[in-house]
């Protein structure tokens, strides 16, 4: 059922996003695991990916240096 979003999809969407955030996208990218690459691309294309606040890059505000205390 391609149009359903399951609990497993929620878990894998979040897990793959975090793996990518930490530089592990090569585990499935560039043809390494074609089915996972396609699956994650489909999950990222869902409007709910952004609506749910899922991100796969460190937000810029968290990567900026903080002033010394």
């Amino acid at each position: 059922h391609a149009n359903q979003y399951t609990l497993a999809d929620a878990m894998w969407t979040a897990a793959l996003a975090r793996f990518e955030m930490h530089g592990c996208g090569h585990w499935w990218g560039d043809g390494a695991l074609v089915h996972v690459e396609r699956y994650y691309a489909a999950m990222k294309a869902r409007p709910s990916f952004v609506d749910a606040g899922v991100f796969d890059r460190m937000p810029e505000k968290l990567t900026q240096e903080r002033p010394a205390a």
Side-chain angles (χ1 to χ4, degrees), residues 7-25:
L7 184 57
D9 293 315
M11 190 283 302
W12 279 109
T13 300
L16 291 170
R18 292 306 173 262
F19 291 148
E20 188 166 333
M21 181 190 310
H22 293 289
C24 300

Side-chain angles (χ1 to χ4, degrees), residues 10-49:
M11 190 283 302
W12 279 109
T13 300
L16 291 170
R18 292 306 173 262
F19 291 148
E20 188 166 333
M21 181 190 310
H22 293 289
C24 300
H26 64 278
W27 290 352
W28 64 85
D30 298 324
L33 294 171
V34 176
H35 296 296
V36 175
E37 189 172 13
R38 277 192 221 134
Y39 171 81
Y40 186 51
M43 293 301 103
K44 288 175 63 172
R46 294 177 61 90
S48 60
F49 187 87

Side-chain angles (χ1 to χ4, degrees), residues 18 21 55 57-66:
R18 292 306 173 262
M21 181 190 310
F55 53 92
R57 302 280 184 260
M58 188 64 71
E60 188 175 324
K61 68 182 179 182
L62 297 179
T63 61
Q64 296 171 349
E65 290 194 32
R66 297 179 187 168

